């Protein structure tokens, strides 16, 4: 401790006595600066920290603040008016508090040891600031060139108050951080008066490449760059060499005033376009940054000042926007493809969900940022397997293929190998032997799947404790056997290949794009499209019962099914819903994550969709829609065959096409069934694991059953065996999972951390239009409804659904919309398949659609040509 009395020692700590473990006392920034001051060769301006003890002392002087914080915690993050009003009230209150004498004395003594009338920088340092999972950059205040004790205490109060800026409050609300748990320390440092200043990112903040450092620099204080007063000089450094530089015209700079404060000044004309740093200085700065990065163990966002030829580091925090890199344990180059983009679920998954998918997947998978990835490096390295991988990726999602080709264009990243070696089958399946076009094959496969799930339900009932986990490991092998059933794979590939054949040949012979979209309408055996139509049948049971409709409009409790019997006709409604849930209740949004609540567990999820169906459709809509699709498909078949026969060699072409139409209609519907089989098995696994979790809660091992979601399957197995759990690990996993929501998973990621973005590379998209992958033909114009949560969808007939992704659980919404736009997807992913099944014009892979399209705007979707227009 410093040489102060025991009472005042709680309030002020010197930076030199602080380390990274003391965030609770000095905040994130203070802890980082303390850590920086301990790194050899790193110069940090001398200073001290006014601790969180001081903040709590001041807050305790006004107990009424607690009431306002309670009100703030109840607000929605988008309630800007209320947030602005209440947060301003808290700031005014804090700034109006007179600093207690003993606290003021402690701060003044710290100033005396460094120079009472010297100039200081005063910076906020919140306890939830600059953490590995959450950077609060720019949310609290910094004051430069503060001179004298009175001014310094006044600015300390302002830093305390800045914990409650609108931006900081909104950030905490969005990220589930309790206002009461965050406290404010204040860092006070001697001012340095630099010749140049700026920011160093030890990883590229845009691409994520950990091998590239970026330096932004300008003359004078860094405030000119932070405020946007000038454009910075930008340098990019790789492997100790400046590989790119952009020198800006710097007309203005910010300098300190002798009496305190800062002012803008013009830069001499002859200096305006000179680099603010030499290349040698840039390289030396990056070397310092690498030393800091190694100390903290993560890429850093570093604020620096250049005085003479010496660099001073005034702040360092983790770059929390970078997507993590899978940990693989070697220094080789690797290329990873996102599993979530193939599975239509790019949200983060909890540890149990990740590990369960890994244990039941057909290829090895790695985790990063709460998402799953497949390492495709060896398949890319072999010319033989590379072509097949790129073809499969291109048919599924052209943006993935383009990203992979971008990596391959870098000659030194993926070395060429003579063969693929180990690494498993190509992502997305492999080519299959031809099979006969026989509907009985699909019937047999469906019966096999049902029998397998029934056997699992029967055999798991008596298993508990460690024996349950031994049984599940065996069940996972049966799971993979069923998933990799050669006959199942043959049927899936036969349907896909027939689709591709029809689209390619009919475009070549008739000039018709995506003809298979119409030819596959109302194909048999499609479990996912039937799921959406079946909910229309449920609506038919509810519609003539107004009391039930009124009751459902106010439903919030998951036990509402039991209450239905109290209404006239309610028993029939309950029976219809239970029948639906028995068949489809294993599904939910993000269903590849076993921890997500299934419809059978949370049936209220379906209520808004059912009520939309009651309002927007007439009785018998399901049957009419299915028959209408079948009729359109027959008419299209007749039209195509008639036109083909009129061509040279037309009879042969028509006969081949007829065989392919029969083949695609026989097999394409089954494409959705294996996923249904997977989630059916997952629900059985989940029920057994939650029963085990309940026993752990009863034994006092766990606080609540859902704690198991933050353990891997293997960890949960050990907890059941030992009857002990690491509570701290569970808490850390909860915090990490919350932070992963702020990360955007890339389609393709390299071991250098670079998120490689693909492009369509098309010249047929009109100016101003948004390009996408056309997956279901037709053109439609309508109101865009931007929906990020299925449970909050409010759709009317003619609306166009715009969302991030759709997995099978979104299918009930498809019966009531006119078109579909998603940010994620491919030609054979679930949303595309069901859009074609329902005849909805659809685009997938529209980058930034939910951000670029406003809810309620009118848009025109060109599902044949692959773009959309936002209409005036």
């Amino acid at each position: 401790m410093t040489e102060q009395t025991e009472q005042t020692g709680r309030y002020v700590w010197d930076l030199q006595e602080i380390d990274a473990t003391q965030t609770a006392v000095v905040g994130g920034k203070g802890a980082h600066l303390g850590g920086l001051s301990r790194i050899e060769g790193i110069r940090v301006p001398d200073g001290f920290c006014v601790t969180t003890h001081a903040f709590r002392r001041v807050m305790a002087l006004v107990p009424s603040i607690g009431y306002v914080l309670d009100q703030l915690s109840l607000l929605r993050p988008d309630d800007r008016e209320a947030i602005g009003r209440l947060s301003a009230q808290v700031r005014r209150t804090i700034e109006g508090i007179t600093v207690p004498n003993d606290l003021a004395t402690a701060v003044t003594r710290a100033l005396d040891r460094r120079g009472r009338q010297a100039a200081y920088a005063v910076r906020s340092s919140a306890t939830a600031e600059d953490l590995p999972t959450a950077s609060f950059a720019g949310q609290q205040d910094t004051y430069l060139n503060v001179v004298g004790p009175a001014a310094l205490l006044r600015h300390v109060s302002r830093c305390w108050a800045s914990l409650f800026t609108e931006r900081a409050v909104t950030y905490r609300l969005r990220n589930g951080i309790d206002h009461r748990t965050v406290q404010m320390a204040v860092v006070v440092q001697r001012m340095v008066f630099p010749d140049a200043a700026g920011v160093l990112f030890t990883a590229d903040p845009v691409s994520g490449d950990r091998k590239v450092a970026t330096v932004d620099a300008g003359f004078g204080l860094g405030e000119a760059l932070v405020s946007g007063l000038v454009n910075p000089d930008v340098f990019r450094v790789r492997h100790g060499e400046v590989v790119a530089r952009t020198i800006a015209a710097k007309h203005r700079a910010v300098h300190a005033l002798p009496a305190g404060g800062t002012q803008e000044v013009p830069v001499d004309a002859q200096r305006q376009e000179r680099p603010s740093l030499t290349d040698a200085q840039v390289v030396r700065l990056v070397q310092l940054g690498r030393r800091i990065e190694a100390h903290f163990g993560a890429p850093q966002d570093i604020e620096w000042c250049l005085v003479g030829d010496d660099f001073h580091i005034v702040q360092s925090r983790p770059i929390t926007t970078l997507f993590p890199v899978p940990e693989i344990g070697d220094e080789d180059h690797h290329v990873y493809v996102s599993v979530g983009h193939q599975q239509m679920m790019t949200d983060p998954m909890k540890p149990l969900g990740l590990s369960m998918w890994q244990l039941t997947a057909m290829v090895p998978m790695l985790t990063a940022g709460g998402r799953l990835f497949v390492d495709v490096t060896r398949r890319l390295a072999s010319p033989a397997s590379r072509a097949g991988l790129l073809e499969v990726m291109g048919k599924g999602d052209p943006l993935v293929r383009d990203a992979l080709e971008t990596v391959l264009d870098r000659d030194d990243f993926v070395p060429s190998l003579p063969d693929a070696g180990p690494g498993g089958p190509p992502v997305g399946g492999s080519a299959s032997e031809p099979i006969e076009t026989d509907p009985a094959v699909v019937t047999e496969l469906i019966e096999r799947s049902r029998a397998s799930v029934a056997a699992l339900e029967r055999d798991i009932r008596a298993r508990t404790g460690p024996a349950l986990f031994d049984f599940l490991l065996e069940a996972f092998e049966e799971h993979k056997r069923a998933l990799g059933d050669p006959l199942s794979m043959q049927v899936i590939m036969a349907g896909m290949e027939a689709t591709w054949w029809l689209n390619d040949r009919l475009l070549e012979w008739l000039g018709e794009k995506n003809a298979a979209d119409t030819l596959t309408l109302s194909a048999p055996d499609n479990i996912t499209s039937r799921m959406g139509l079946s909910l229309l049948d449920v609506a038919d049971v509810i519609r003539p019962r107004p009391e039930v409709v009124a009751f459902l409009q106010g439903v919030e409790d998951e036990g509402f099914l039991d209450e239905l019997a109290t209404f006239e006709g309610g028993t029939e409604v309950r029976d219809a819903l239970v029948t639906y849930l028995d068949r489809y209740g294993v599904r939910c949004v993000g269903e590849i994550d076993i921890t997500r609540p299934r419809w059978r567990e949370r049936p209220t999820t379906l209520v808004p969709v059912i009520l939309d169906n009651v309002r927007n459709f007439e009785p018998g809509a399901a049957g009419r829609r299915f028959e209408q699709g079948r009729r359109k498909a027959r008419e299209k078949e007749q039209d195509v065959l008639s036109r083909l026969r009129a061509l040279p060699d037309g009879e042969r072409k028509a006969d081949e096409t007829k065989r392919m139409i029969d083949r695609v209609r026989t097999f394409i519907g089954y494409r959705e069934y294996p996923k249904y089989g997977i989630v059916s098995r997952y629900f059985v696994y989940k029920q057994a694991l939650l029963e085990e979790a309940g026993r752990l809660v009863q034994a006092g091992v766990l606080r609540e059953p859902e704690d198991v979601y933050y353990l891997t399957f293997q960890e949960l197995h050990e907890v059941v065996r030992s009857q002990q759990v690491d509570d701290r690990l569970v808490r850390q996993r909860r915090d990490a999972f919350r932070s992963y929501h702020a990360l955007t998973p890339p389609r393709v990621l390299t071991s250098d951390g670079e998120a490689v973005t693909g492009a369509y590379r098309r010249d047929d998209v009109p100016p101003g239009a948004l390009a996408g992958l056309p997956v279901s033909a037709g053109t439609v114009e309508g109101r865009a409804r931007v929906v990020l949560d299925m449970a909050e969808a409010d759709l009317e007939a003619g609306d166009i659904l715009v969302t991030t992704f759709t997995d099978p659980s979104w299918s009930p919404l498809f019966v009531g919309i006119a078109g579909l736009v998603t940010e994620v997807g491919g030609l054979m992913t679930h949303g595309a398949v069901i859009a074609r099944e329902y005849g909805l014009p659809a685009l997938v892979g529209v980058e930034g659609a939910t951000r670029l399209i406003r809810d309620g705007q009118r848009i025109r979707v060109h599902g044949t040509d692959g773009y959309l227009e936002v209409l005036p």
Side-chain angles (χ1 to χ4, degrees):
M1 297 292 291
T2 55
E3 295 180 0
Q4 299 177 49
T5 68
E6 182 177 348
Q7 183 177 355
T8 59
R10 297 180 300 118
Y11 299 140
V12 173
W13 285 25
D14 287 343
L15 286 182
Q16 290 77 12
E17 59 186 345
I18 295 169
D19 61 36
T21 67
Q22 293 161 324
T23 301
V25 177
V26 298
K29 189 180 285 116
H32 266 71
L33 285 168
L36 282 169
S37 66
R38 295 164 180 261
I39 305 174
E40 185 177 354
I42 302 299
R43 299 190 63 171
V44 178
D46 183 32
F48 58 92
C49 189
V50 181
T51 68
T52 55
H53 297 301
F55 176 75
R56 287 197 298 272
R57 170 77 188 283
V58 168
M59 292 289 282
L61 295 175
V62 189
S64 60
I65 286 182
Y67 172 73
V68 184
L69 295 185
D70 290 339
Q71 290 182 298
L72 275 175
S73 67
L74 298 175
L75 298 178
R76 293 172 55 90
D78 57 359
D79 190 349
R80 297 179 62 182
E81 187 278 330
I83 290 173
R85 175 171 45 79
L86 291 175
S87 62
Q89 180 180 341
V90 175
R91 292 196 304 275
R92 285 194 302 270
T93 301
I94 294 174
E95 289 186 35
I97 298 171
T98 301
V99 177
N101 289 336
D102 57 341
L103 200 164
T105 299
V107 172
T108 303
R109 286 177 178 173
L111 286 181
D112 288 340
R113 289 195 301 277
R114 293 164 178 84
R116 178 177 284 228
Q117 294 302 316
Y120 292 88
V122 182
R123 305 175 190 272
S124 65
S125 180
T127 54
E129 183 179 13
D130 298 347
L131 303 181
T133 57
S135 177
F136 287 54
Q139 292 182 28
Q140 284 94 40
D141 289 344
T142 292
Y143 301 97
L144 301 178
N145 204 32
V146 178
V147 178
L152 192 136
L153 287 170
R154 188 166 60 251
H155 286 88
V156 167
S157 293
R158 290 179 179 175
C159 283
W160 289 331
S162 72
L163 187 62
F164 299 98
T165 62
E166 290 181 40
R167 182 179 173 189
V169 168
T170 301
Y171 185 92
R172 291 196 292 272
L173 289 172
R174 290 192 189 283
N175 288 275
I177 299 172
D178 187 343
H179 301 301
R180 293 176 179 274
T181 63
V182 184
Q183 298 176 17
M184 180 67 81
V186 180
V187 173
V188 180
Q189 289 177 281
R190 285 289 296 262
M191 275 289 294
V192 291
F193 301 97
D195 302 303
V199 180
L200 159 65
F201 297 96
T202 63
D204 189 315
V206 178
S207 74
D209 193 336
R210 272 52 163 190
K211 297 297 176 63
V212 173
T214 301
V215 176
D216 290 3
F219 294 125
L221 293 167
E223 186 65 20
L225 304 185
V226 174
S227 65
L229 179 64
V230 299
N231 292 322
D233 296 337
V234 181
F235 304 85
R236 288 168 57 84
V237 178
R238 178 188 285 273
H239 302 313
E241 178 184 353
V242 176
V243 295
R245 66 181 63 76
T246 301
I247 306 304
K250 300 169 286 295
H251 300 288
R252 311 284 294 175
V254 174
H255 287 287
L257 293 170
T262 62
Q263 75 173 54
E264 297 177 17
V265 296
V267 175
D268 293 340
Q270 63 271 24
R271 297 181 64 217
Q272 289 177 0
E273 298 190 17
R274 288 183 189 171
S276 46
L277 296 177
T278 66
D279 281 6
Q281 288 172 326
V282 170
V283 170
R284 181 155 54 89
L285 175 60
V286 170
Q287 290 171 343
L288 295 174
R290 293 295 181 209
R291 195 178 302 174
I292 295 169
E293 178 184 72
H295 176 84
F296 288 116
Q300 298 288 301
D301 167 357
I302 299 168
E303 295 182 19
W304 55 269
C305 296
L306 179 68
V307 182
D309 199 37
D310 290 330
F311 285 103
H312 296 250
I313 305 301
V314 297
Q315 188 166 318
S316 181
R317 54 179 166 254
I319 308 175
T320 59
T321 56
L322 299 177
F323 199 88
V325 181
E327 296 181 5
I328 207 160
D330 63 37
E331 297 298 321
D332 296 338
H333 288 161
H334 293 271
V335 182
Y336 308 105
V337 171
S338 165
V339 173
H341 284 81
Q342 298 172 61
Q343 291 294 333
M344 299 299 95
M345 216 296 273
T346 54
D347 289 346
M349 298 168 65
K350 296 185 179 76
L352 184 62
L354 292 168
S355 63
M356 292 286 281
W357 194 263
Q358 287 175 299
L359 287 166
T360 54
M362 299 299 292
V363 295
M365 293 183 181
L366 302 158
T367 65
R371 278 80 168 189
L372 291 162
F373 293 87
V374 173
D375 187 346
V376 298
T377 313
R378 292 190 67 83
R379 289 193 285 275
L380 283 177
S382 165
S385 60
R386 179 189 309 152
L389 176 68
L390 291 175
E391 181 180 6
V392 170
M393 292 289 101
K395 288 183 182 298
D397 185 344
L399 295 178
V400 173
R401 174 171 184 153
D402 187 76
L404 292 174
E405 289 175 335
T406 298
V407 176
L408 287 170
D409 287 343
R410 302 167 186 169
D411 297 333
D412 61 339
F413 198 86
V414 179
S416 190
L417 299 176
D419 56 60
V427 175
S430 58
S432 58
E433 296 295 324
I435 57 174
E436 292 298 319
T437 303
D438 183 359
V441 175
V442 175
T443 302
E444 177 189 348
L445 286 170
I446 291 174
E447 287 305 315
R448 279 191 205 174
S449 178
R450 288 174 177 167
S452 177
V453 174
L456 174 65
E457 290 175 332
R458 180 187 66 243
D459 295 341
I460 204 171
R461 285 179 189 141
R463 317 282 178 157
T464 62
L468 169 65
F469 290 81
D470 295 337
F471 171 82
L472 284 173
L473 289 172
E474 295 176 5
F476 296 162
E477 294 307 309
E478 167 62 18
H479 182 121
K480 289 191 281 188
R481 188 208 61 73
L483 196 57
D485 183 338
L487 183 60
S488 178
M489 294 299 297
Q490 285 177 308
V491 168
I492 291 170
M493 291 307 297
M496 293 169 66
E497 288 165 355
T499 300
W500 298 333
W501 190 97
L502 287 166
N503 282 337
D504 291 345
R505 294 298 186 275
L506 296 181
L507 178 62
E508 175 187 350
W509 294 338
L510 299 177
E512 184 153 345
K513 293 182 179 179
N514 302 325
D517 293 358
T518 306
L519 293 167
T520 55
L521 289 173
S522 297
D525 301 313
N526 190 317
I527 186 74
T528 308
S529 65
R530 172 51 59 187
M531 178 172 68
L533 295 175
S534 294
L535 206 59
L536 287 176
D537 292 335
V538 173
D540 286 351
V541 178
I542 295 171
R543 190 177 293 106
R545 297 172 167 88
E547 286 188 5
V548 173
V549 172
F551 168 70
L552 290 176
Q553 288 170 340
V555 156
E556 295 181 357
D557 192 298
E558 299 300 339
F560 75 93
L561 289 174
D562 295 332
E563 298 180 53
L564 284 169
T566 62
F567 298 94
E568 183 179 352
T571 300
E572 291 83 354
V573 171
R574 183 192 59 197
D575 291 346
L577 281 166
V578 168
T579 299
Y580 184 88
L581 291 170
D582 285 345
R583 184 82 191 277
Y584 303 111
V586 297
R587 313 216 81 148
C588 68
V589 174
E591 61 193 12
I592 70 171
D593 183 353
I594 196 173
T595 71
R596 291 286 189 103
R598 311 285 135 169
W599 291 342
R600 202 180 294 179
E601 298 170 303
R602 193 175 291 175
T604 54
T605 304
L606 292 173
V607 170
V609 185
I610 294 171
L611 291 173
D612 282 347
N613 290 347
V614 168
R615 184 178 69 248
N616 295 331
F617 292 93
E618 295 296 322
R624 285 195 302 275
R625 286 180 67 103
F626 189 79
E627 185 52 41
Q628 182 184 45
R630 191 157 51 185
R631 185 178 67 252
K632 285 183 178 179
R634 282 198 304 267
E635 292 169 353
K636 187 67 174 180
E637 176 182 331
Q638 294 166 1
D639 173 63
V640 164
L641 296 179
S642 173
R643 291 160 60 194
L644 285 173
R645 292 189 179 100
L647 299 176
D649 197 20
E651 287 300 325
R652 179 189 63 81
K653 293 174 180 176
D655 288 346
E656 289 182 6
T657 300
K658 172 59 176 169
R659 284 196 297 273
M660 283 299 175
I661 291 173
D662 291 345
R663 193 167 180 79
V664 79
R665 289 195 64 81
T666 298
F667 292 138
I668 199 64
Y670 177 75
R671 165 73 176 78
E672 292 292 301
Y673 204 90
K675 184 71 171 291
Y676 176 75
I678 291 172
V679 297
S680 295
R681 295 181 69 89
Y682 262 37
F683 189 59
V684 179
Y685 304 153
K686 181 179 186 179
Q687 287 177 303
L689 290 173
L690 282 179
E691 287 176 10
E692 199 63 39
R695 286 187 279 272
L696 290 170
V697 171
Q698 288 180 342
V701 178
L702 296 178
R703 288 187 170 86
E704 54 187 69
E706 289 74 18
D707 283 351
V708 300
Y709 295 163
Y710 299 95
L711 301 171
T712 66
F713 177 85
Q714 298 87 342
E715 290 167 345
L716 178 55
H717 188 178
E718 177 58 25
V719 169
V720 170
R721 188 197 64 78
S722 67
Q723 294 292 292
Q724 294 181 329
V725 70
D726 184 346
D727 288 331
R728 185 177 62 176
L729 176 65
V730 172
R731 289 195 301 272
Q732 289 173 344
R733 294 271 179 81
R734 283 183 186 273
D735 291 342
F737 175 73
R738 187 182 297 117
S739 73
Y740 293 152
H741 284 278
L743 300 175
T744 301
R747 285 176 166 83
V748 173
L749 180 68
T750 73
S751 50
D752 287 348
E754 181 182 5
V756 187
T757 303
Y760 286 109
R761 310 200 186 280
R762 292 164 48 185
D763 56 10
D764 61 343
V765 178
L770 303 179
L773 177 65
V775 295
S776 187
T779 300
V780 65
E781 179 179 320
R783 180 180 66 161
R785 296 313 308 259
V786 180
V787 179
L788 301 181
D789 183 346
M790 175 182 162
E792 296 181 359
D794 181 14
L795 300 169
E796 296 181 2
D799 284 346
I800 298 172
L801 175 62
V802 180
T803 189
T804 309
F805 62 81
T806 61
D807 61 10
S809 70
W810 286 71
S811 300
L813 293 182
F814 285 23
V815 299
I817 59 175
L820 173 69
V821 177
T822 70
E823 295 178 338
V824 176
L827 189 63
M828 298 307 296
T829 49
H830 302 282
V833 171
I834 304 306
R836 290 193 291 273
E837 170 73 15
Y838 288 166
L840 303 175
L843 295 180
V844 300
V846 181
E847 287 285 276
T850 60
R851 176 174 48 85
L852 298 171
I853 300 170
R854 295 195 310 274
D855 185 54
Q857 280 187 308
R858 291 195 66 79
I859 61 175
R860 184 181 297 124
V861 175
H862 298 265
T864 303
D865 296 322
Y867 64 90
L868 70 85
E869 299 168 286
V870 178
L871 303 176

